[in-house]
Amino acid sequence: EAGVTQFPSHSVIEKGQTVTLRCDPISGHDNLYWYRRVMGKEIKFLLHFVKESKQDESGMPNNRFLAERTGGTYSTLKVQPAELEDSGVYFCASSPGLRWGPGYTFGSGTRLTVV
Amino acid sequence: TQLLEQSPQFLSIQEGENLTVYCNSSSVFSSLQWYRQEPGEGPVLLVTVVTGGEVKKLKRLTFQFGDARKDSSLHITAAQPGDTGLYLCAGTGGTSYGKLTFGQGTILTVHP
């Protein structure tokens, strides 16, 4: 089966511009997560979708970040306007189950550089 | 806020040596997962441990979950150059099921 697909793989934008990241989870996975790793720090949780609903968005840094998952399939993460500190690698992950310790599958990530 | 302290941050060893990576927290986790990440790729799940005291083996890798479910370790026996990579521990717990709390990672280099 196809894995979790993220694109673009790299994006370089100027401060103040808008960027939209996309994640296609494994087909049939109800759970979709966004994580981010900024340089020198650990991977941090951003938010969790169950189907099209936001289950937990406690990790979203501020209101410049907007995540959507229309129809419960793919998800987008928009950053508007981008700031320098938004640079990092954004990972998407999906899982089928709702119990503890789900089997996560991560995408390869989008490396975002804000200059 | 749950935190996971992973150590060491860097590990450089010779082929054939043994090593242990540690993950510690003051918080209780419902499960602890270990991932391996290659450059340009996302983390790949190696194992999930869910029971205090649980030990799981994956070929030359041994994973242990502490009795109190606050710590975990990854032991590699007779390391090989192919084991080189970034190893990450991550826990689930608290009120947000599914949400992973990651350690900072251990960059392992095994020299031939």
Side-chain angles (χ1 to χ4, degrees):
Chain A
E1 68 180 355
V4 176
T5 305
Q6 291 186 247
F7 52 93
S9 57
H10 295 80
S11 180
V12 180
I13 62 171
E14 292 184 351
K15 176 183 173 181
Q17 288 186 323
T18 298
V19 63
T20 300
L21 314 181
R22 173 166 168 151
C23 170
D24 286 72
I26 292 174
S27 178
H29 280 195
D30 287 342
N31 296 282
L32 186 149
Y33 308 83
W34 283 99
Y35 289 83
R36 176 176 76 169
R37 183 168 194 157
V38 298
M39 190 179 297
K41 302 276 191 176
E42 69 273 18
I43 297 173
K44 286 194 174 179
F45 168 84
L46 296 178
L47 89 159
H48 171 203
F49 283 101
V50 177
K51 296 185 180 178
E52 68 274 10
S53 299
K54 292 176 184 175
Q55 176 75 24
D56 180 358
E57 51 184 331
S58 61
M60 294 289 264
N62 50 62
N63 58 11
R64 295 185 292 103
F65 289 74
L66 175 64
E68 295 180 322
R69 192 183 182 193
T70 307
T73 55
Y74 71 91
S75 174
T76 57
L77 179 64
K78 180 189 288 188
V79 185
Q80 179 183 27
E83 298 289 344
L84 298 179
E85 63 265 25
D86 300 332
S87 295
V89 182
Y90 290 76
F91 291 104
C92 174
S94 71
S95 73
L98 295 177
R99 43 189 181 82
W100 294 103
Y104 285 90
T105 301
F106 279 83
S108 296
T110 294
R111 181 174 294 276
L112 174 65
T113 304
V114 183
V115 297
Chain B
T1 303
Q2 294 182 308
L3 294 173
L4 268 174
E5 297 290 332
Q6 188 172 342
S7 63
Q9 195 172 350
F10 300 95
L11 200 48
S12 180
I13 62 172
Q14 292 297 125
E15 182 177 1
E17 292 183 353
N18 302 333
L19 67 111
T20 303
V21 179
Y22 299 93
C23 225
N24 295 292
S25 176
S26 59
S27 304
V28 175
F29 287 94
S30 294
S31 76
L32 207 296
Q33 302 177 5
W34 286 90
Y35 292 83
R36 178 175 167 177
Q37 185 178 4
E38 300 295 335
E41 300 294 327
V44 175
L45 181 66
L46 295 174
V47 77
T48 300
V49 285
V50 297
T51 306
E54 183 175 3
V55 177
K56 280 191 174 179
K57 293 193 175 184
L58 189 64
K59 297 183 181 178
R60 293 177 293 100
L61 278 60
T62 301
F63 305 86
Q64 190 162 6
F65 202 10
D67 292 340
R69 290 185 290 131
K70 292 183 179 181
D71 56 88
S72 181
S73 63
L74 157 61
H75 182 79
I76 301 179
T77 303
Q80 298 176 359
D83 296 327
T84 294
L86 172 65
Y87 291 82
L88 298 158
C89 64
T92 60
T95 58
S96 298
Y97 72 89
K99 168 184 172 180
L100 287 174
T101 298
F102 279 88
Q104 284 203 313
T106 296
I107 297 175
L108 170 65
T109 304
V110 182
H111 301 279

